Amino acid sequence: MMADKKEGYDLVIIGAGPGGYIAAIRAAQLGLKVACVEKDAVLGGTCLNIGCIPSKALLESSHKYAECRTGLKAHGIMVGETSFDLATMMGRKDEIVKTLTSGIDYLFKKNKIERFTGAAHILDGLKVRVTGEKELLLTARAILIATGSRAAGLPGVAIDGTHVVSSTEALAFAAVPKQLVVVGAGAVGLELGSIWHRLGAEVTVVEYLDRVLPTADRDMSKHALRIFKKQGLKFLLGAKITGIEQAGEGCRVNISGKEPLVAEKVLLAAGRTPCSQGFGFEELGGRIDKKGFIEVDSHWQTSLPGIYAIGDVIGGAMLAHKASEEGVACVEYMATGYGHVNYQAMPSIVYTHPEVASVGRTEDSLLEEAVPIKTGIFYFKGNGRALALGESDGLVKVIAHHDTDRILGVHIIGPQAGDLLAEAVVAMEYGASSEDLARAFHAHPTLSEALKEAALNVAKAAIHG
């Protein structure tokens, strides 16, 4: 059967996650004729459907439940016996996802972006074959790969979706597991571990490295571990898993040099792997590195002329907003000859309670490069707004260049850390000094005063610290 031909596109995008769909909208705004191919029936990719958004919905629901159980008494609020309806929580989560994904549908129509559902395969001559309900052949002046990533496994360990699960299944449990072993102490593991611990699971987090949040500033990692232990999460750090086997209705997790753990469910949250194969790029001679990431230049151009790639599939921080910014910059470069992403001002947030947020460099990485630095720290226990909220555990750390005072990194663990970080991101984007941040007005009483105090403390001038 002959494929229907659709020609004349300026850009065909493969993948409708936060990289692909935002790139499509921006390209359309710039006057390009755009088509977007997505294998799933709904738009939004991992982030909207089985990642960022559903996890935040469940984090919020589980936090409210935990607060009712243990957090209101200090405010003089007495409640009776509390319970929760997991099906209602899941329904709320699904409704939020539906609202957002249908919103992307609307934006595609508004911006006259043609959407095709099916598997994409890149052919020679900047053509894309789409295999869905019917076969289509799209031709374009350029192709943008935004295929994202998937949960990584462990050698010799298979995800069966029932006993050994990925984040996808862990966001849709029909019941709270009695015991949950989380493999990986990064953002995904700690967020999902927090959800199910609040709802009653006994959670043990197993991490191969010697600390939680291994890419975070070491001060944040230490403080976070103390807080999470206090909340009741259990940790095995510096632990190597040698195998996972089914044991009755659950699993036995074997760990080198330690007693095995028995759990009803095991969540593999040990990173993600790029979706870089199976759609023709490699077969055409496109370069992929040893870890499976598509190689690109500074303008996201791959080794194949006219084919670009962004987001998780090219490596770097696997964050939705990183993919989005790359998508915008990439299509702006196609249309105008200029597009740029400042990776040094890229924020990263872990949505536990309290949140852990950072932008820029860590102290360890700067010291390894012998960069002369000075630091300022301020604890939320000295912040009036944090005390009023009853959330005074945490700190802000500002790192500046010793000679120029330019801000090199800001790290926060504490209430609403992700929102507080936005100020630091803008400051770094504009090359601000710690003194610039310290001398700017910060309303009283607000949590943002903690950032001001940490910036003041770079010069050992904190007022309340």
Side-chain angles (χ1 to χ4, degrees):
M1 182 177 175
M2 290 282 292
D4 289 347
K5 291 183 179 180
K6 288 185 172 286
E7 301 176 330
Y9 293 106
D10 295 305
L11 176 63
V12 171
I13 298 173
I14 302 173
Y21 90 76
I22 285 180
I25 292 170
R26 183 61 184 136
Q29 289 174 343
L30 291 165
L32 302 185
K33 184 180 179 182
V34 183
C36 185
V37 183
E38 169 56 52
K39 62 181 175 59
D40 294 324
V42 290
L43 303 174
T46 295
C47 178
L48 264 68
N49 291 284
I50 51 172
C52 322
I53 300 303
S55 63
K56 303 313 165 280
L58 289 180
L59 278 162
E60 188 64 25
S61 296
S62 64
H63 173 61
K64 286 184 182 298
Y65 171 66
E67 193 171 33
C68 286
R69 290 185 63 235
T70 60
L72 298 180
K73 188 175 180 181
H75 293 269
I77 301 170
M78 306 302 173
V79 296
E81 185 177 348
T82 56
S83 61
F84 64 90
D85 185 327
L86 185 58
T88 300
M89 282 187 186
M90 292 295 178
R92 175 181 178 272
K93 172 205 71 172
D94 294 341
E95 193 59 35
I96 292 169
V97 169
K98 182 180 177 182
T99 298
L100 291 171
T101 55
S102 62
I104 301 172
D105 263 322
Y106 165 76
L107 291 171
F108 269 30
K109 290 170 185 172
K110 176 185 173 183
N111 288 281
K112 297 180 174 57
I113 298 162
E114 293 192 57
R115 173 195 172 186
F116 300 101
T117 303
H121 196 90
I122 302 172
L123 305 175
D124 201 12
L126 295 179
K127 294 181 175 65
V128 176
R129 184 177 68 236
V130 182
T131 306
E133 288 186 3
K134 61 179 181 178
E135 192 166 293
L136 301 169
L137 185 64
L138 314 179
T139 62
R141 290 172 50 236
I143 295 170
L144 176 59
I145 299 168
T147 47
S149 63
R150 62 183 182 275
L154 285 177
V157 176
I159 294 176
D160 60 23
T162 302
H163 299 99
V164 181
V165 302
S166 70
S167 57
T168 302
E169 293 81 24
L171 286 167
F173 286 155
V176 179
K178 291 183 176 65
Q179 308 91 15
L180 174 66
V181 168
V182 177
V183 181
V188 174
L190 292 177
E191 288 179 8
L192 291 175
S194 293
I195 289 169
W196 294 110
H197 171 68
R198 292 169 191 166
L199 298 179
E202 180 185 316
V203 176
T204 303
V205 181
V206 181
E207 170 57 51
Y208 179 73
L209 299 175
D210 64 352
R211 59 187 177 122
V212 302
L213 301 174
T215 61
D217 186 89
R218 194 168 289 274
D219 284 338
M220 300 298 119
S221 293
K222 288 179 181 177
H223 209 80
L225 179 60
R226 182 182 64 78
I227 291 173
F228 297 145
K229 279 184 173 179
K230 194 165 126 182
Q231 291 174 356
L233 292 166
K234 299 177 182 178
F235 291 88
L236 280 177
L237 303 178
K240 181 181 179 182
I241 291 176
T242 57
I244 300 174
E245 54 194 53
Q246 192 169 340
E249 295 300 312
C251 296
R252 180 181 292 107
V253 182
N254 298 315
I255 302 170
S256 178
K258 299 182 185 295
E259 288 294 313
L261 297 173
V262 176
E264 186 177 336
K265 305 276 188 184
V266 177
L267 164 62
L268 291 190
R272 298 184 66 80
T273 188
C275 298
S276 57
Q277 298 175 324
F279 52 86
F281 177 76
E282 196 172 21
E283 290 84 340
L284 289 174
R287 284 204 297 269
I288 295 176
D289 71 15
K290 292 179 181 178
K291 294 183 178 179
F293 295 109
I294 293 176
E295 296 181 359
V296 295
D297 66 13
S298 59
H299 297 298
W300 303 280
Q301 166 77 59
T302 72
S303 57
L304 300 179
I307 300 180
Y308 299 77
I310 58 166
D312 288 5
V313 77
I314 67 170
M318 289 187 167
L319 300 170
H321 47 273
K322 179 251 194 189
S324 298
E325 293 299 323
E326 287 176 341
V328 168
C330 181
V331 298
E332 287 182 344
Y333 174 74
M334 291 180 197
T336 70
Y338 180 80
H340 175 69
V341 172
N342 179 6
Y343 292 102
Q344 294 305 312
M346 179 174 57
S348 177
I349 304 164
V350 184
Y351 294 88
T352 48
H353 193 85
E355 294 176 350
V356 186
S358 66
V359 61
R361 303 288 298 278
T362 65
E363 184 174 353
D364 280 352
S365 70
L366 290 164
L367 292 176
E368 284 173 9
E369 295 178 16
V371 177
I373 61 171
K374 50 188 177 180
T375 62
I377 288 177
F378 185 80
Y379 292 88
F380 278 102
K381 64 185 178 184
N383 177 270
R385 179 69 170 150
L387 288 166
L389 289 169
E391 298 187 23
S392 58
D393 211 347
L395 64 105
V396 180
K397 179 178 181 178
V398 175
I399 306 172
H401 194 284
H402 185 275
D403 302 328
T404 67
D405 195 38
R406 177 169 286 193
I407 299 169
L408 301 177
V410 175
H411 308 275
I412 307 172
I413 179 169
Q416 299 173 35
D419 294 315
L420 291 178
L421 189 73
E423 177 185 358
V425 172
V426 173
M428 288 189 64
E429 187 65 47
Y430 283 90
S433 66
S434 69
E435 184 180 3
D436 291 330
L437 201 55
R439 290 191 178 276
F441 267 112
H442 289 71
H444 176 75
T446 62
L447 296 171
S448 68
E449 289 177 285
L451 183 55
K452 176 184 177 77
E453 292 275 8
L456 280 166
N457 208 26
V458 172
K460 305 305 174 228
I463 303 300
H464 297 92

